[in-house]
Amino acid sequence: YTGNGFLINFIGKDYYAYSTPLYPFFCAGVYKLIGHNQSAVILLQIIISSLSCLVIYLIAKNIFGRRMAIFSSILVIFHPGLIIYSSLKLHALTLDTFFITLTIFCLMAAFEKLTFLNVSICGIILGLCALTRSTIIPFLLVGTIWLFWARKGNIKEILKYSSILIICTITIIGIWSFRNFLVFKRLIPLTTVSAEVF
């Protein structure tokens, strides 16, 4: 937003891939549209957090039924961390929660009705989720195993739809990885803080 690109100075060192990019781009997009208005970002975070409650409801209803779905969504509505991080802080947790729950919902929907469109949307959502919370990436493996289990061994169909899921996910992540390659001249899939976090 300040014109320096995706740059943060942390402990006296410049980082060009310090964090996953989706939340910073989300904030920059809001600021670009309506000016540097943090209240607008907070309002959007509250709306997105409310949508997470709806997605949790749909997931729980699919698995456990309507009564448990209502109970689950009420737990999410009154979760102290989600309330604080969506309404009082500028923080990626709201997007993290929304995209993780949406990924699970999309996986369930895609495997319930296995079509090119459903699996492609699932892969795109999974890729976007990785751009805010990279710990979702193992769900590619989980999704493929789930597909094997759900389809009871139809190998040709499983390979086809698993490939679509993986290609769509990697395409979304790959856009950011390509940017990182241009900046660092080596493969940095998402961030440059792995050693520091370790």
Side-chain angles (χ1 to χ4, degrees):
Y1 180 72
T2 59
N4 295 320
F6 196 80
L7 166 69
I8 184 172
N9 185 281
F10 182 66
I11 316 178
K13 182 170 173 56
D14 288 341
Y15 287 87
Y16 290 89
Y18 182 79
S19 69
T20 49
L22 194 61
Y23 184 74
F25 285 0
F26 166 74
C27 291
V30 173
Y31 298 154
K32 185 76 172 172
L33 286 173
I34 60 173
H36 194 248
N37 187 335
Q38 294 183 351
S39 297
V41 176
I42 294 281
L43 179 60
L44 286 172
Q45 286 182 174
I46 292 168
I47 292 168
I48 291 167
S49 191
S50 300
L51 291 174
S52 296
C53 299
L54 175 62
V55 177
I56 290 288
Y57 173 86
L58 295 172
I59 292 169
K61 185 179 178 190
N62 196 328
I63 299 172
F64 302 109
R66 187 170 178 273
R67 183 178 294 178
M68 188 55 72
I70 292 169
F71 178 69
S72 300
S73 57
I74 288 171
L75 287 178
V76 176
I77 289 168
F78 293 107
H79 188 284
L82 292 176
I83 292 170
I84 290 168
Y85 278 91
S86 65
S87 61
L88 299 176
K89 296 176 180 286
L90 295 177
H91 198 279
L93 182 66
T94 304
L95 279 184
D96 297 349
T97 305
F98 176 69
F99 276 105
I100 288 169
T101 56
L102 190 60
T103 297
I104 293 166
F105 174 75
C106 286
L107 279 169
M108 291 171 64
F111 296 155
E112 192 171 299
K113 189 173 182 183
L114 204 56
T115 65
F116 175 83
L117 180 62
N118 285 353
V119 175
S120 298
I121 290 170
C122 186
I124 291 166
I125 296 296
L126 209 158
L128 288 171
C129 187
L131 293 181
T132 185
R133 181 64 70 152
S134 57
T135 50
I136 197 70
I137 291 174
F139 268 76
L140 271 176
L141 176 61
V142 171
T144 304
I145 291 169
W146 190 356
L147 189 55
F148 267 95
W149 177 79
R151 291 292 148 180
K152 305 278 189 262
N154 185 340
I155 300 297
K156 189 176 178 182
E157 185 182 47
I158 291 165
L159 290 175
K160 174 185 170 184
Y161 287 110
S162 295
S163 299
I164 294 167
L165 180 68
I166 291 166
I167 288 167
C168 289
T169 303
I170 289 175
T171 300
I172 298 297
I173 297 170
I175 295 166
W176 181 247
S177 300
F178 181 68
R179 173 265 182 196
N180 286 345
F181 181 79
L182 293 177
V183 171
F184 299 107
K185 308 303 181 206
R186 62 192 175 98
L187 182 62
I188 306 287
L190 289 166
T191 68
T192 55
V193 293
S194 301
E196 182 180 317
V197 171
F198 180 73

